[in-house]
Amino acid sequence: MMKWKQQIYGMKAYQPGKPIEEVKKEFGLDEVVKLASNENPYGFSPKVKAFLEKDSTNHAIYPDGYAQSLRTAVAKHLGVKETELLFGNGSDDLIAIVTRALLYPGVNTVMADPSFSQYSHNAVIEGAEVRKVPTKDGKHDLQAMLEAIDENTSIVWVCNPNNPTGTIVSDDELQNFLKQVPSEVLVVLDEAYFEYINAPEFKDTLHYVSEYPNVIIMRTFSKAYGLASFRVGYAYAQEDVIAKLDPVRGPFNNTVLSQKVAIVALEDQEFIQECRDKNEIGKNQFVEFCNKHGLNYYPSQTNFILFEVKADSDVVFQEMMKRGFIIRSGNALGTPGYIRVTFGTEEQNSKFLSLLEEVLTEQGVFA
Ligand SMILES: Cc1ncc(COP(=O)(O)O)c(C=O)c1O
């Protein structure tokens, strides 16, 4: 008998959205659109495309583990010191690094429920206690999260905006929260969808890092920058925090090519702005649909929306898949009766919504 950690028994690997090729084969479809993983429907910047076409990277050589060039570019972009940054193989890697550095049996970690699954997943692997605090109207209940913190709490996760609900914590709420979190508890502000936020009550959070030694902000190139396959995320915190986390990082956790590509992508802020504008159009299409049909939805500050279907989410998921759209069933996200859909292009959204209308009529939801 091998000596597996007890908590590994019964754990499942991360369940990603179904791959397009698999769905094509299963249902004999020529075209399948994946609106399940909050990727950018417009791909990445044309500047990245041009770069990749002429790139001649030598892939036989190990990457720069310190990601110096990318570090310089991100530090400049944010207006922070290079030593205040940590790069990860996606922010998934950053979540694992932070967890590995701070969690072990006997300590606990506090997070919202539902929220991004990797916080609890990694915590369970490390044998820490997971304290899930129910969201209120899809929003973090920061007061209840404060109450869940005790002397054994090591990390509090604030997914802002929250996946899967898409809601934000306002600046006032965050300020009030940070003032009360004990200074020995690390507060992770996971801002994977930062670029899509347009609510005035959200204000840039970078200054909290200089004010609070226990705050770390995570962002990613996987969403608005459209580089999910390259796996680049970064964290910003005070130098001492980064210095503690850095030894926990894998030695070459970003590839040579991904580092180069992220630099090119960062330079094209016009592309990000265009994606942001188009995202708003998509959001409005879904909000109009929900309003027209009286379906509850959470106000989204991201590139996806979680809304009610008044039917079995798994059935809706399955019926939409047969029709060429992969989405997320709320059953898999802890929100039964709801589905989470990433905004596609305007045309994809229109097609999706008319097919959804058909499915929900078939299901007897609409007369
Ligand atoms: C809230 C949140 N954090 C982190 C991630 C991980 O992103 P990546 O590892 O691609 O940077 C995701 C991806 O869906 C997410 O939704």
Side-chain angles (χ1 to χ4, degrees):
M1 264 294 255
M2 284 194 285
K3 296 163 188 164
W4 300 109
K5 286 181 175 180
Q6 195 55 40
Q7 58 270 29
I8 299 289
Y9 291 98
M11 280 189 87
K12 285 202 183 103
Y14 180 71
Q15 302 286 308
K18 268 205 170 216
I20 289 176
E21 287 313 312
E22 204 178 295
V23 175
K24 273 188 185 169
K25 233 191 256 165
E26 194 176 333
F27 297 99
L29 296 164
D30 291 331
E31 210 198 317
V32 169
V33 179
K34 187 171 162 218
L35 302 178
S37 303
N38 309 333
E39 293 138 331
N40 187 337
Y42 309 102
F44 43 70
S45 154
K47 291 188 174 135
V48 170
K49 187 166 185 285
F51 170 84
L52 287 171
E53 277 162 7
K54 64 173 176 40
D55 173 63
S56 60
T57 296
N58 178 0
H59 293 288
I61 306 295
Y62 278 110
D64 167 13
Y66 193 61
Q68 182 59 65
S69 305
L70 176 59
R71 183 176 294 274
T72 304
V74 172
K76 187 163 164 253
H77 178 71
L78 300 180
V80 306
K81 285 200 268 180
E82 291 183 1
T83 45
E84 294 171 325
L85 295 173
L86 178 75
F87 289 87
N89 194 256
S91 29
D92 283 337
D93 188 27
L94 299 166
I95 293 166
I97 292 170
V98 165
T99 306
R100 207 172 159 207
L102 283 158
L103 298 186
Y104 49 89
V107 303
N108 70 66
T109 179
V110 174
M111 62 196 68
D113 184 29
S115 194
F116 188 49
S117 60
Q118 289 302 291
Y119 313 145
S120 61
H121 186 90
N122 281 281
V124 169
I125 293 172
E126 298 307 331
E129 181 201 341
V130 173
R131 297 192 172 176
K132 291 189 175 185
V133 178
T135 51
K136 255 191 190 162
D137 299 327
K139 285 186 63 169
H140 282 59
D141 184 347
L142 293 179
Q143 192 50 44
M145 287 175 76
L146 279 172
E147 285 159 19
I149 295 173
D150 65 14
E151 68 280 7
N152 294 320
T153 305
S154 295
I155 312 176
V156 180
W157 304 87
V158 179
C159 188
N160 197 22
N162 190 36
N163 179 6
T165 55
T167 56
I168 48 157
V169 166
S170 74
D171 189 52
D172 286 350
E173 292 164 328
L174 186 60
Q175 221 176 94
N176 185 43
F177 177 72
L178 292 177
K179 266 191 232 155
Q180 297 178 73
V181 175
S183 59
E184 63 275 14
V185 176
L186 184 75
V187 181
V188 179
L189 304 179
D190 181 350
E191 298 183 350
Y193 301 94
F194 166 76
E195 291 80 8
Y196 289 113
I197 303 174
N198 72 353
E201 62 272 27
F202 178 94
K203 298 203 176 68
D204 199 89
T205 49
L206 295 181
H207 66 98
Y208 287 124
V209 165
S210 14
E211 287 162 42
Y212 295 97
N214 60 328
V215 167
I216 188 165
I217 297 173
M218 294 179 181
R219 292 185 187 166
T220 181
F221 283 91
S222 297
K223 306 297 176 184
Y225 286 93
L227 300 177
S229 92
F230 283 100
R231 315 301 304 125
V232 187
Y234 60 89
Y236 166 52
Q238 289 191 11
E239 231 165 57
D240 291 354
V241 174
I242 298 296
K244 287 280 187 313
L245 295 173
D246 210 22
V248 184
R249 177 179 63 78
F252 304 109
N253 61 336
N254 293 117
T255 66
V256 178
L257 189 55
S258 61
Q259 292 180 28
K260 288 187 188 175
V261 159
I263 295 171
V264 179
L266 195 62
E267 280 163 7
D268 193 356
Q269 289 300 313
E270 235 174 80
F271 173 76
I272 300 298
Q273 186 57 50
E274 271 169 38
C275 293
R276 200 181 285 148
D277 294 344
K278 289 179 186 161
N279 190 64
E280 287 305 305
I281 295 173
K283 192 190 292 178
N284 287 336
Q285 289 175 280
F286 277 82
V287 165
E288 264 175 33
F289 180 88
C290 291
N291 287 338
K292 178 178 157 198
H293 293 293
L295 302 173
N296 283 331
Y297 61 93
Y298 293 103
S300 171
Q301 285 294 310
T302 61
N303 63 340
F304 60 82
I305 187 165
L306 183 67
F307 65 100
E308 185 193 30
V309 283
K310 295 188 175 162
D312 185 321
S313 331
D314 282 352
V315 172
V316 176
F317 162 78
Q318 203 63 28
E319 288 300 317
M320 288 311 297
M321 193 153 62
K322 276 190 210 161
R323 290 164 174 81
F325 282 94
I326 311 172
I327 55 168
R328 275 302 179 104
S329 161
N331 289 356
L333 300 166
T335 54
Y338 281 66
I339 54 173
R340 194 196 69 191
V341 185
T342 308
F343 306 133
T345 62
E346 194 172 351
E347 198 189 335
Q348 288 169 345
N349 296 335
S350 300
K351 188 164 172 211
F352 174 88
L353 291 170
S354 76
L355 289 170
L356 181 62
E357 192 156 349
E358 181 183 298
V359 167
L360 294 186
T361 305
E362 253 178 41
Q363 293 300 311
V365 179
F366 302 155

